[in-house]
Amino acid sequence: KDLRRRARRRSPGCVAMGSVDELVDHVFADIPPALRDQCIRDRILEGLAAAGACDVSVLGTLLEQDYSAVKGAIGTAAPVAFVAMLKQAVLNQTAAPAATANTPTGVGFATPSGAVPAAAALRPMAVTVKLGSKTLVAARMISVADETTNLAALLQLALDGVDEAERTMLSSLPVKVAAFRGAQLLPNQKVDVELSSPASQPASLGYHYILFSYAPPAERPAAQ
């Protein structure tokens, strides 16, 4: 069932809800189908309206100042990964003022003639990082630009927030990279990729879930 085609219901207290509608639809268009199928569009919009997010600017402030409140407002209407992608979409929009300077009031994601939409070249990736059996980063949603970000850079983005001492230790360890079609990271949906490969490469083939696996120091082969 295509959730993007469901009827739109606006909260009577939110006169500028259209721009938030556009933002949610934009995120729906970009996220993997497996994540989109877990989302209920109408309930997401109702939750955001109840939280007072009547336009993208207010929503951006809420996401920045009280991320947990937005997650609570959306509740069971969408997984937490969707909320992360929603925040990323707001950041992408505000990071490119030149592209949106001529956007008419109430219309989201329009760009001046000849300009490339800021998020058009972005691909959402769910990134997991493990050290042996220990999960350091669990399915962190990151949007990457086509051909400009390789998997090594994606790994560094994913590790942002990990303890600095642990990051230093990881830098001395070998790491393997695998891409998967589904969030379950099933072996029969896996392809091995090189760390130097563009991050957009597996995504363009439908592999939106990336696993970086570090071998713990004790498991590294002994020097000959």
Side-chain angles (χ1 to χ4, degrees):
K1 188 174 183 179
D2 190 344
L3 295 174
R4 288 173 291 172
R5 294 182 181 177
R6 297 184 62 173
R8 299 183 180 183
R9 292 183 291 175
R10 299 173 186 266
S11 168
C14 282
V15 295
M17 194 65 186
S19 60
V20 176
D21 286 353
E22 292 285 343
L23 179 67
V24 170
D25 288 342
H26 177 78
V27 175
F28 271 14
D30 276 355
I31 60 178
L35 176 57
R36 186 166 59 244
D37 289 345
Q38 299 177 61
C39 301
I40 304 174
R41 182 184 183 279
D42 289 348
R43 286 179 53 196
I44 291 170
L45 293 176
E46 289 169 359
L48 293 175
C54 295
D55 60 38
V56 174
S57 176
V58 174
L59 176 58
T61 300
L62 281 172
L63 286 165
E64 184 67 28
Q65 301 297 327
D66 200 343
Y67 184 77
S68 295
V70 178
K71 288 196 296 183
I74 291 177
T76 59
V80 65
F82 172 83
V83 187
M85 292 301 298
L86 189 66
K87 181 176 181 178
Q88 185 64 51
V90 173
L91 292 174
N92 290 341
Q93 188 180 21
T94 57
T100 57
N102 296 335
T103 302
T105 302
V107 179
F109 306 104
T111 56
S113 177
V116 177
L122 296 177
R123 295 181 185 274
M125 314 284 284
V127 182
T128 297
V129 182
K130 289 189 174 184
L131 174 61
S133 60
K134 177 184 177 182
T135 299
L136 302 177
V137 178
R140 181 175 180 181
M141 299 302 297
I142 302 175
S143 291
V144 298
D146 289 347
E147 310 302 333
T148 63
T149 304
N150 63 17
L151 289 168
L154 182 67
L155 173 58
Q156 295 308 309
L157 289 172
L159 289 174
D160 184 36
V162 172
D163 180 74
E164 185 176 352
E166 194 158 40
R167 292 185 64 170
T168 300
M169 181 267 293
L170 291 174
S171 67
S172 66
L173 300 177
V175 60
K176 293 183 178 180
V177 192
F180 298 80
R181 288 189 179 274
Q184 297 81 9
L185 307 183
L186 300 175
N188 63 346
Q189 298 181 350
K190 167 188 171 184
V191 293
D192 293 321
V193 288
E194 297 293 330
L195 192 62
S196 58
S197 300
S200 61
Q201 186 179 73
S204 67
L205 299 174
Y207 293 85
H208 292 273
Y209 301 85
I210 307 298
L211 172 63
F212 294 95
S213 301
Y214 286 95
E219 297 181 11
R220 297 174 66 183
Q224 298 296 319

